[in-house]
Amino acid sequence: MLERFRQFWTNVWSPLADLLLRLGVKPDHVTIVGTLGVSAGALWFFPRGQFFVGVMVVTAFVFSDLMDGYMARKSGQSSKWGAFLDSTLDRVGDAAVFGGLLLYYTRTDAESTLGPAELYLGLSLACLVLGSLTSYARARAESLGMQAKGGIAERADRLVAILVMTGFSGLLDLPVLREVTLWALALASLVTVFQRMAIVHRQAVQQPGLDV
């Protein structure tokens, strides 16, 4: 759903990306710094319950995911290594976001309104695992010559939803916003896994000789 806004934000950040290219910064450098920033922001601020500040820090680095691709295309530095690095480090950043929430719910004073904190610890873990599984399903399908893109909760949807609602939960002191989002994302991610399995199954049936 949110992939349609990618070009808009790419246009917004392209002047900064052009400046970095003129300064000799490589796309891979942006990818690595962006992941470090996202991970540090999520793993430092979220466990301390500083959700609004954490989201602001994470968001500042999330846009590197758009800039590195633009820089690679603009400079002619696109490569399989760059694509692999970007995809791999995306998983690291996503895991840090949900890992930060998981660590928060291990605290004895963690705030939760719709159930015990242990429940949301489990939901944070579920979102982390299922998010990685949706990405794995797509990558594995593509390695077999098929495609498994799609589903109700793609990566961009999951990331924007959790960051926006976590930020507002901190700003407005309404943990219920974060809790409802964790429930929704855990369910949506599970559905997405099955959707991608169904997409691959349909293709596999049409290719009976495929060695999986």
Side-chain angles (χ1 to χ4, degrees):
M1 182 188 302
L2 294 172
E3 287 295 321
R4 69 188 67 177
F5 299 110
R6 176 175 288 272
Q7 188 57 50
F8 169 78
W9 287 111
T10 298
N11 293 338
V12 169
W13 288 98
S14 59
L16 176 58
D18 290 335
L19 174 61
L20 292 175
L21 284 173
R22 289 195 295 271
L23 293 174
V25 177
K26 296 185 180 299
D28 287 354
H29 299 161
V30 174
T31 302
I32 294 170
V33 171
T35 301
L36 290 174
V38 168
S39 301
L43 294 175
W44 178 264
F45 292 105
F46 287 1
R48 290 167 171 74
Q50 299 172 318
F51 296 114
F52 182 71
V53 175
V55 167
M56 292 298 99
V57 173
V58 169
T59 301
F61 287 97
V62 159
F63 287 106
S64 65
D65 191 42
L66 299 175
M67 292 173 56
D68 57 6
Y70 170 85
M71 291 170 65
R73 293 189 298 272
K74 183 72 176 291
S75 63
Q77 299 181 55
S78 297
S79 66
K80 291 183 178 180
W81 162 251
F84 172 81
L85 180 68
D86 182 60
S87 181
T88 301
L89 294 188
D90 279 348
R91 306 288 85 75
V92 174
D94 294 353
V97 169
F98 288 104
L101 292 175
L102 187 156
L103 291 173
Y104 169 73
Y105 285 114
T106 63
R107 290 173 35 171
T108 56
D109 61 340
E111 292 184 79
S112 58
T113 57
L114 298 179
E118 291 80 5
L119 173 62
Y120 295 98
L121 187 158
L123 285 173
S124 298
L125 179 59
C127 288
L128 191 161
V129 172
L130 290 170
S132 296
L133 188 54
T134 58
S135 297
Y136 172 79
R138 177 179 173 181
R140 180 58 174 152
E142 291 176 348
S143 75
L144 294 170
M146 297 183 284
Q147 66 87 22
K149 186 176 182 180
I152 63 174
E154 295 192 275
R155 176 180 179 262
D157 303 307
R158 297 193 305 271
L159 188 60
V160 170
I162 195 61
L163 289 179
V164 169
M165 300 311 289
T166 296
F168 277 119
S169 74
L171 181 64
L172 303 176
D173 193 23
L174 290 174
V176 65
L177 298 177
R178 186 174 62 252
E179 295 164 13
V180 169
T181 304
L182 285 171
W183 274 109
L185 288 182
L187 178 60
S189 297
L190 181 61
V191 171
T192 301
V193 170
F194 283 106
Q195 286 180 307
R196 292 189 171 185
M197 290 176 66
I199 290 171
V200 173
H201 182 262
R202 285 196 295 270
Q203 296 171 81
V205 168
Q206 297 171 2
Q207 305 175 47
L210 181 66
D211 181 12
V212 297

